Amino acid sequence: MPSLTLLRHAKSSWDDTVTRDFDRPLNTRGRRAAVVVGTWMKREGLAFDHIVASPAVRVIETLEGVIEGYGQPIAPDWDKRIYLASSATLLDLVREFPVDCEHALMVGHNPGLEDLVLGLVAETGGSPLRGEVEAKYPTAAVAVLRWDGGWADAREGGATLDRFVRPRDLAEGLGPDD
């Protein structure tokens, strides 16, 4: 049974004067959230044998913070197809994961990640956490999904949502009103 961990990039800075959206960096809260999430991932025993990530600056910086909190290197395959991808494109990527991979991490953007979770997890019976994802999949949030079969068997409504954690669940000062 594969497990797919989906991490949305941490909070980026809209104040930065970069020309392209692709180049937007994290803000201070985002950098802190990335470290906190990495610490949580380590504490929860999450480990990955396949990692794919958008090469956008805010994703790169998110992973730098996650690595700091996780305490071990995380070496992703950078894939431009993840940048602002639809859930259909993300699902195609998941179905391409190596057959021998059991635990994958995908780091990217919304609305694709949120839509992927909502598509893979059934509205009833998939997890009581699904409603939290539906309400909002904020920056630096982590969702962990599982389903029977392999990566090619990922299908609509076929997954369970084991975990959904937001930075505000892990540390004060990382919520939307903080």
Side-chain angles (χ1 to χ4, degrees):
M1 177 181 296
S3 73
L4 174 62
T5 300
L6 300 172
L7 169 62
R8 183 177 174 200
H9 67 79
K11 187 80 173 156
S12 61
S13 174
W14 288 97
D15 297 333
D16 200 283
T17 58
V18 296
T19 308
R20 302 182 316 158
D21 174 73
F22 188 86
D23 298 324
R24 262 190 303 120
L26 296 184
N27 65 19
T28 302
R29 188 173 101 193
R31 285 189 290 278
R32 181 169 170 244
V35 174
V36 167
V37 166
T39 302
W40 175 83
M41 290 168 75
K42 180 67 172 181
R43 188 174 61 243
E44 291 295 306
L46 298 180
F48 312 103
D49 45 22
H50 185 65
I51 302 164
V52 294
S54 163
V57 169
R58 59 192 178 272
V59 173
I60 292 168
E61 291 182 356
T62 296
L63 281 172
E64 289 170 354
V66 167
I67 290 166
E68 182 181 332
Y70 196 72
Q72 293 179 325
I74 293 175
D77 292 331
W78 303 105
D79 195 322
K80 287 183 179 180
R81 295 177 293 175
I82 297 173
Y83 177 67
L84 303 181
S86 68
S87 61
T89 298
L90 296 176
L91 183 56
D92 287 344
L93 288 168
V94 167
R95 290 177 175 153
E96 293 175 7
F97 287 174
V99 178
D100 59 344
C101 163
E102 291 184 36
H103 307 285
L105 171 64
M106 180 182 283
V107 189
H109 312 267
N110 252 6
L113 291 178
E114 178 178 334
D115 291 344
L116 182 61
V117 172
L118 296 176
L120 290 175
V121 178
E123 287 188 44
T124 56
S127 170
L129 297 171
R130 188 184 189 282
E132 292 182 36
V133 172
E134 195 169 342
K136 185 167 185 179
Y137 197 112
T139 52
V142 179
V144 180
L145 298 91
R146 297 183 194 282
W147 60 87
D148 291 327
W151 299 109
D153 300 311
R155 63 177 171 73
E156 190 170 323
T160 57
L161 179 59
D162 287 347
R163 299 177 194 167
F164 180 62
V165 172
R166 302 159 295 206
R168 71 176 178 221
D169 301 328
L170 303 173
E172 286 190 34
L174 294 178
D177 300 324
D178 297 329

